[in-house]
Amino acid sequence: MTRNVSTVAGSTRYREIVELMADKKISAVPVVDDARRVLGVISEADLLHKVELVGEPHQRRLFEGRRRHAARTKADASVARELMTAPAVTTSPETSLVRAARVMEREHVKRLPVTDDDGHLVGIVSRRDLLSIYLRPDADLRRDVLEVLERIFSVESSEVDVIVADGVVTLSGRVERHSAAQLAAYVAGQVSGVVHVVDGLTFEFDDLNPVYLKPGLGSPTGLL
């Protein structure tokens, strides 16, 4: 997350908000009170309603929808407390990047203010922050994949080979069970920054099948 967050007060005027966002090259800004508790968020979309509805009659239409009415209200607004979307969708410092991404998708937002247990602003997470994990060096990814495989499966590096190129992990080698091969590919894909996993692992026994074949034989040898 970004800890040095530009903010505005509820009384900050429209022109000041536009100037701040342009100067800082940001697309949204949290609105906070004197204790830095998050009151709401103002995005470029909130500000653009004034441009979108310029010249239209100010009176409410008879069958105007809720979203249209909210847009018209923000088009007439002049200070942050009238412009902001509230309550703000926030997250905590302990939230994983995966969960933060899911919250953004569900709530249709592009950034999440990060707050402590008392609602005080401590940072902000943007889509750019989420994508930055995919810039991790391949060597770091390989180290983390090997570490998680050895910790979970007691797999020696001589048994499973891990190659990483541009974030794509290729697993090769042989493990004892089919289920272990599947799980290895899954946990490798959960390492932060891994783009894709190519599963080239083979196995001794197909424990996912009630009847498995003994290596080198063409007939079922037993039931699990």
Side-chain angles (χ1 to χ4, degrees):
M1 69 177 176
T2 301
R3 293 187 178 275
N4 185 20
V5 184
S6 299
T7 63
V8 296
S11 59
T12 305
R13 302 191 67 80
Y14 183 97
R15 176 66 180 269
E16 295 176 75
I17 300 169
V18 174
E19 290 175 344
L20 173 66
M21 291 170 64
D23 181 58
K24 299 295 184 180
K25 295 180 174 60
I26 54 179
S27 60
V29 60
V31 182
V32 299
D33 62 15
D34 293 339
R36 285 184 68 80
R37 286 186 293 264
V38 178
L39 305 176
V41 174
I42 298 174
S43 68
E44 290 175 330
D46 295 318
L47 297 172
L48 284 171
H49 289 308
K50 191 177 289 293
V51 178
E52 173 192 357
L53 299 177
V54 64
E56 288 200 6
H58 290 284
Q59 68 271 19
R60 181 177 178 179
R61 297 175 182 175
L62 184 59
F63 298 108
E64 188 172 59
R66 183 175 60 181
R67 292 182 62 181
R68 186 68 174 179
H69 174 64
R72 191 177 300 281
T73 299
K74 291 184 179 183
D76 294 335
S78 60
V79 294
R81 69 172 64 91
E82 300 168 346
L83 287 160
M84 68 183 184
T85 297
V89 180
T90 63
T91 190
S92 69
E94 293 76 28
T95 301
S96 68
L97 291 180
V98 172
R99 179 165 177 77
R102 289 173 178 169
V103 172
M104 287 186 190
E105 177 68 20
R106 184 181 70 241
E107 301 295 335
H108 306 291
V109 295
K110 297 180 180 179
R111 80 287 301 164
L112 294 172
V114 182
T115 59
D116 61 18
D117 293 339
D118 296 319
H120 300 117
L121 183 69
V122 296
I124 195 165
V125 174
S126 67
R127 289 179 173 178
R128 180 176 299 177
D129 294 322
L130 299 182
L131 292 173
S132 66
I133 64 170
Y134 294 105
L135 299 178
R136 296 185 63 202
D138 289 339
D140 291 353
L141 295 178
R142 184 177 187 275
R143 181 198 62 225
D144 289 354
V145 170
L146 284 171
E147 181 180 321
V148 74
L149 291 179
E150 291 174 3
R151 185 170 66 245
I152 295 177
F153 305 108
S154 298
V155 174
E156 298 296 333
S157 59
S158 59
E159 297 174 345
V160 176
D161 190 25
V162 178
I163 298 175
V164 184
D166 296 328
V168 177
V169 174
T170 301
L171 302 178
S172 60
R174 194 172 186 85
V175 294
E176 185 178 357
R177 300 181 310 279
H178 188 181
S179 60
Q182 279 197 349
L183 191 54
Y186 173 77
V187 297
Q190 302 308 300
V191 171
S192 295
V194 170
V195 176
H196 179 64
V197 175
V198 178
D199 181 9
L201 290 172
T202 59
F203 48 86
E204 296 287 340
F205 303 109
D206 189 356
D207 60 334
L208 298 180
N209 231 315
V211 178
Y212 59 82
L213 296 178
K214 189 173 182 179
L217 297 181
S219 59
T221 61
L223 297 175
L224 294 180

